[in-house]
Amino acid sequence: MPAVAAKSRVVLIDRPGGPEVLRLEERQVEAPREGEVLLRHTAIGVNFIDIQHCSGRYPLPSYPATLGIEAAGVVLDVGAGVQGVRPGQRVVYSFPPVGSYADLRVVGAEHLVPIPDRVPDDLAAAGFNKGLTAHYLLHTTYPVQPGETIVVHAAAGGVGSLLCQWASARGATVIGVVGSEEKVATAASNGCRHVVVNPREDLPARVRALTGGEGVPVVYDSVGRDTFEASLLCLRPRGTLVSFGTASGPIPPFDLFRLNTLGSLYVTSPAYVTHTAARPELLRRAGDFFKALSEGELRVALGRVYDLADAAAAHQDLQARRTTGASILRPAAS
């Protein structure tokens, strides 16, 4: 087992910007200290928050900075006092600070979750952050009940795919929203009973027609600026808009009194970190996700696989909404 410094490829940015600011560099990785673990990554998740970190929408504390919050890998070495993980074990994580775009990484042991035998590394890395996000959105932010009709934006995307599948399995009727005709079949396969192509169709009008004019109790919106107004107009009185992403850009300033006039609506913006910060909660959500995955209740649609050196291309495709499912980066072979 490594006990000395090793070399690793990492993807860095020196300043905020677009995909063009990503660069590959080789760096030394030190042996793990107390409470830390050295991982060899086997698959690295690509999430829209990576683009937000790169662009400066979510500022990073210093530069140069390595991107990425999620990866699966194998434990190579452990520091003093580490319990619960051992060399040779397969694990996955998703947490700040950034740094998962690398072949090797030292991380705090408290962030690691063992991967069940039946779950491949690629699916763990592609689905962990998205699966746990879908879990807290569906079970905590707004606990969806059987028989309810809900709206899910980006129904063919990473989180949206899992959210639609899980809600459908719980007995909800899902109205999925996609950005192109090509994604309709994918959304339908994710359990959406109805699929709306935005902006080609009038989303609020379609939702009202499908619900007898009532509207829905909840809209899950990861798109942001381009869909915020339409999402509000889909809600029934005292409905909830769950805004958990801004793929199209930040939501403009908004007069809160409009929530009053539109029917005493609620708007919330839940964060992954506040729903996984306590380790018991992290393990509970991870356990539910892996159980659903292992039993076939959920399917992680693995999208494109890129070499770590091609991280910029992965960002370009994700920004342009050319992807379906979840994309990953492939680290160097061991």
Side-chain angles (χ1 to χ4, degrees):
M1 297 299 171
V4 296
K7 289 186 176 181
S8 172
R9 297 183 306 164
V10 299
V11 175
L12 300 166
I13 61 172
D14 296 306
R15 67 186 189 282
E20 72 281 354
V21 303
L22 276 67
R23 64 181 178 85
L24 193 69
E25 182 179 292
E26 192 170 75
R27 285 192 164 189
Q28 292 291 114
V29 179
E30 300 300 325
R33 296 172 295 184
E34 183 174 359
E36 293 182 336
V37 170
L38 174 63
L39 294 180
R40 173 178 59 80
H41 288 157
T42 52
I44 300 164
V46 178
N47 296 283
F48 206 87
I49 193 173
D50 302 343
I51 292 174
Q52 308 281 42
H53 285 146
C54 184
S55 69
R57 162 77 172 138
Y58 300 155
L60 298 173
S62 63
Y63 297 92
T66 306
L67 292 178
I69 62 165
E70 177 180 40
V74 177
V75 177
L76 295 182
D77 196 11
V78 299
V82 170
Q83 297 180 346
V85 294
R86 63 186 184 280
Q89 190 172 19
R90 298 164 57 240
V91 295
V92 65
Y93 67 85
S94 176
F95 69 95
V98 296
S100 68
Y101 283 17
D103 295 323
L104 303 174
R105 188 184 186 188
V106 172
V107 300
E110 72 274 12
H111 300 296
L112 303 177
V113 174
I115 302 174
D117 291 340
R118 293 176 59 185
V119 179
D121 289 11
D122 283 3
L123 293 188
F128 190 72
N129 178 279
K130 300 170 183 66
L132 269 61
T133 299
H135 187 281
Y136 71 73
L137 292 176
L138 188 65
H139 295 83
T140 304
T141 306
Y142 180 90
V144 172
Q145 301 302 311
E148 289 187 316
T149 299
I150 69 172
V151 171
V152 178
H153 285 273
V159 176
S161 293
L162 296 175
L163 191 55
C164 293
Q165 291 174 45
W166 224 336
S168 178
R170 286 172 61 88
T173 296
V174 182
I175 302 172
V177 186
V178 296
S180 67
E181 193 69 40
E182 292 74 23
K183 296 183 179 182
V184 170
T186 300
S189 72
N190 288 331
C192 296
R193 188 174 302 179
H194 311 282
V195 183
V196 179
V197 180
N198 183 61
R200 190 193 71 190
E201 300 180 68
D202 184 332
L203 176 61
R206 181 80 184 280
V207 169
R208 297 286 171 182
L210 292 170
T211 58
E214 180 181 5
V216 294
V218 64
V219 175
Y220 293 100
D221 190 340
S222 60
V223 180
R225 179 183 59 203
D226 292 351
T227 55
F228 180 74
E229 180 71 17
S231 293
L232 289 175
L233 297 178
C234 290
L235 292 169
R236 72 186 187 194
R238 293 192 287 178
T240 301
L241 171 54
V242 180
S243 176
F244 67 101
T246 54
S248 66
I251 296 168
F254 178 76
D255 180 3
L256 285 178
F257 190 69
R258 287 205 63 222
L259 301 179
N260 177 303
T261 60
L262 289 173
S264 300
L265 304 180
Y266 298 86
V267 177
T268 184
S269 182
Y272 179 95
V273 292
T274 53
H275 290 81
T276 57
R279 185 157 179 81
E281 186 173 12
L282 168 65
L283 294 177
R284 176 175 61 83
R285 296 193 191 281
D288 287 353
F289 168 64
F290 282 134
K291 182 175 184 291
L293 196 61
S294 298
E295 294 178 352
E297 185 177 31
L298 293 181
R299 295 172 291 100
V300 173
L302 185 61
R304 302 186 185 186
V305 178
Y306 303 82
D307 185 84
L308 180 62
D310 297 324
H315 279 217
Q316 289 170 344
D317 290 341
L318 186 59
Q319 280 184 286
R321 304 185 74 177
R322 289 192 289 262
T323 62
T324 57
S327 301
I328 60 170
L329 304 177
R330 180 74 69 207
S334 59

